[in-house]
Amino acid sequence: MKTKAVRLYGPNDLRLEAFELPPINADELLVKIIADSACMSTYKAVRQGGAHKRVPDDVYENPIVIGHEFCGEIMEVGNNLTDRYKAGQKFTVQPGMQGTMDAAGYSFPYIGGNMTCGIIPKCYVDRGSVLVYEGEGYFHGALTEPLSCVIGATHANYHTRQGEYTHDMDIRESGNMAILGGCGPMGFAFVDYILHRDRKPGLLVVTDIKQSNLNAAAAALPPEEAAKNGIRLIYFNPQSSADPMGEMMELTQGRGYDDVFVFYPSAALVEQADAMLANDGCLNFFAGPEDTAFSAKINFYDVHYNATHLVGTNAGNIDDMREALTMAAAGGLTPALLVTHVGGLDAAAETILDLPNIPGFKKLIYNAISMPLTAIADFGEKGKSDPLYRSLAEICVRHNGLWSVEAERYLLDHAPGI
């Protein structure tokens, strides 16, 4: 079968190409990949090429397909897998695998998010990393991978009990929690998850130095909604205060924060997070720095006498993906909050290469269509001369300006094919 895919050949060398897929074997799945969400992790891999830990050294001769946040439909099932999977099922993949740095979107020639059809290899099937998705909308499934990352970060935090060598995993129930640099796309996903999961903090402070980001977060995930779920939610701009640390500590009556998540790779932010920790507080460094020598000062007096501790996560696991899929399918999460742009497969390479400079949050690529990357906010203007955009704008207005399953269906039915 012929496929079209965006393949990586080296640093910043992306090519949209058509090529033949080999026949699948008895332990593989042939899949149609409908939607992929462009990720900064892909941008970093594209910048580094073969120097990236997950990208093969010989990528120049054996290119890989990019994209790791994807959802699609199973087309053909290998003979050994017919008791587990059926043609026509929606699926998504947990790209990271324990025990190896290999991952879809980084390491494989026949599977990645930016392709029309692909082959899921035996290693993913054996690890249970191919997950059936029963909810509506392919973009919901594509966004469960980033959602699993924030879910995994929450589960990775831990607290201790004096005199016992036991770690109580997860955030502190009804405790004080802060998300620093938390109004980017992953921060939105995190706040959405924290507000709607079963284990919640009593106080949640979300900071950002861009007031426009804070305003957008407050509109999408308002403190009033948090209050209904038992959380006091405060959006805070440190640049608006003469004493930001003092003001944030005052919110806790000087006790400090049980859980602090750092979403931006800044040494100053890490040091601020460390200074905010309460006794037995946990600092989670969620941001992914490109600098391999990135470092910051940590107060080891507090580590020794106040039991503060540090963790870091860079992905979710299979259980986190399952939790994300279950919550998304049940309507417990709103992935559409993250989507600001959509485009076709022919826009994928340009989108990834320019990703840090494109405003907004998640950029969805639909692999079966041809379409420039377009902001949802621009649909109305483009719709003055293009009926496709006019109809998409009308649908988005009906859904409070958000992307939706209805909009996705219309796009897939009416946009030109790739």
Side-chain angles (χ1 to χ4, degrees):
M1 172 177 285
K2 189 176 289 292
T3 187
K4 290 182 179 179
V6 178
R7 298 202 284 185
L8 176 67
Y9 282 82
N12 299 315
D13 186 357
L14 290 176
R15 308 176 196 177
L16 175 59
E17 299 175 318
F19 57 93
E20 287 289 336
L21 292 173
I24 64 168
N25 64 39
D27 298 300
E28 295 178 332
L29 299 168
L30 178 67
V31 296
K32 182 189 303 180
I33 301 172
I34 306 296
D36 178 79
S37 170
C39 178
M40 278 299 294
S41 295
T42 299
Y43 168 77
K44 294 171 187 175
V46 169
R47 277 174 53 90
Q48 296 175 38
H52 191 278
K53 285 187 175 182
R54 294 187 184 274
V55 177
D57 295 338
D58 65 348
V59 69
Y60 296 93
E61 292 82 24
N62 297 292
I64 58 91
V65 179
I66 65 166
H68 61 276
E69 300 176 0
F70 57 89
C71 182
E73 186 176 298
I74 296 173
M75 300 174 66
E76 183 180 340
V77 180
N79 290 336
N80 292 341
L81 307 177
T82 54
D83 60 332
R84 298 172 59 182
Y85 301 102
K86 304 294 182 223
Q89 287 179 318
K90 289 192 186 78
F91 80 95
T92 187
V93 168
Q94 170 57 43
M97 297 184 288
Q98 291 185 347
T100 176
M101 291 300 292
D102 290 346
Y106 299 92
S107 316
F108 294 98
Y110 300 131
I111 188 62
N114 292 131
M115 66 191 314
T116 53
C117 300
I119 296 173
I120 298 178
K122 183 177 185 295
C123 58
Y124 276 100
V125 176
D126 287 348
R127 288 173 167 84
S129 298
V130 184
L131 304 173
V132 173
Y133 176 57
E134 297 179 351
E136 288 191 294
Y138 292 99
F139 78 94
H140 287 171
L143 290 170
T144 54
E145 196 282 332
L147 289 171
S148 79
C149 293
V150 297
I151 290 171
T154 308
H155 294 325
N157 267 35
Y158 70 92
H159 299 279
T160 60
R161 284 169 277 175
Q162 188 172 7
E164 298 182 22
Y165 300 109
T166 301
H167 289 178
D168 295 325
M169 303 305 297
D170 216 303
I171 64 170
R172 190 178 296 284
E173 181 81 25
S174 302
N176 299 325
M177 179 176 169
I179 308 172
L180 306 187
C183 288
M186 296 303 284
F188 261 54
F190 199 23
V191 175
D192 188 24
Y193 173 64
I194 293 298
L195 264 56
H196 298 106
R197 70 188 303 246
D198 54 354
R199 188 182 183 107
K200 301 179 178 69
L203 170 69
L204 175 59
V205 179
V206 183
T207 76
D208 202 287
I209 60 173
K210 291 184 178 180
Q211 190 60 44
S212 59
N213 288 355
L214 289 164
N215 294 342
L221 297 161
E224 294 79 10
E225 179 183 349
K228 293 176 184 177
N229 291 287
I231 300 173
R232 182 188 179 199
L233 172 60
I234 297 172
Y235 293 104
F236 179 67
N237 187 339
Q239 294 187 339
S240 68
S241 172
D243 181 16
M245 178 65 81
E247 198 167 328
M248 290 188 69
M249 291 298 288
E250 187 177 341
L251 294 170
T252 71
Q253 290 77 51
R255 194 179 75 82
Y257 291 80
D258 302 290
D259 299 278
V260 182
F261 293 80
V262 177
F263 270 57
Y264 185 78
S266 158
L269 211 57
V270 172
E271 291 166 12
Q272 177 189 349
D274 180 54
M276 293 167 55
L277 292 174
N279 184 275
D280 191 38
C282 188
L283 192 166
N284 189 311
F285 184 64
F286 184 85
E290 288 191 68
D291 181 4
T292 58
F294 178 85
S295 60
K297 292 180 180 179
I298 298 294
N299 186 328
F300 279 92
Y301 178 94
D302 285 342
V303 170
H304 186 78
Y305 286 106
N306 292 322
T308 59
H309 34 272
L310 174 70
V311 299
T313 54
N314 57 41
N317 63 23
I318 295 172
D319 288 337
D320 300 324
M321 281 283 287
R322 291 194 181 104
E323 184 177 347
L325 287 166
T326 299
M327 290 186 72
L333 297 172
T334 310
L337 289 172
L338 306 182
V339 181
T340 57
H341 296 67
V342 295
L345 185 60
D346 50 352
E350 182 181 358
T351 297
I352 292 297
L353 289 168
D354 196 38
L355 199 54
N357 302 315
I358 305 174
F361 290 167
K362 281 294 187 178
K363 288 78 185 175
L364 287 177
I365 299 297
Y366 287 96
N367 295 313
I369 68 166
S370 171
M371 177 182 173
L373 187 74
T374 307
I376 293 172
D378 293 339
F379 284 173
E381 183 64 29
K382 287 182 172 290
K384 294 177 181 178
S385 58
D386 189 319
L388 173 67
Y389 290 109
R390 182 165 59 250
S391 295
L392 288 173
E394 292 168 356
I395 294 170
C396 290
V397 167
R398 289 201 296 272
H399 292 271
N400 299 315
L402 299 178
W403 193 241
S404 64
V405 174
E406 183 185 2
E408 179 180 80
R409 288 173 178 163
Y410 187 88
L411 179 72
L412 294 174
D413 287 343
H414 295 88
I418 187 69

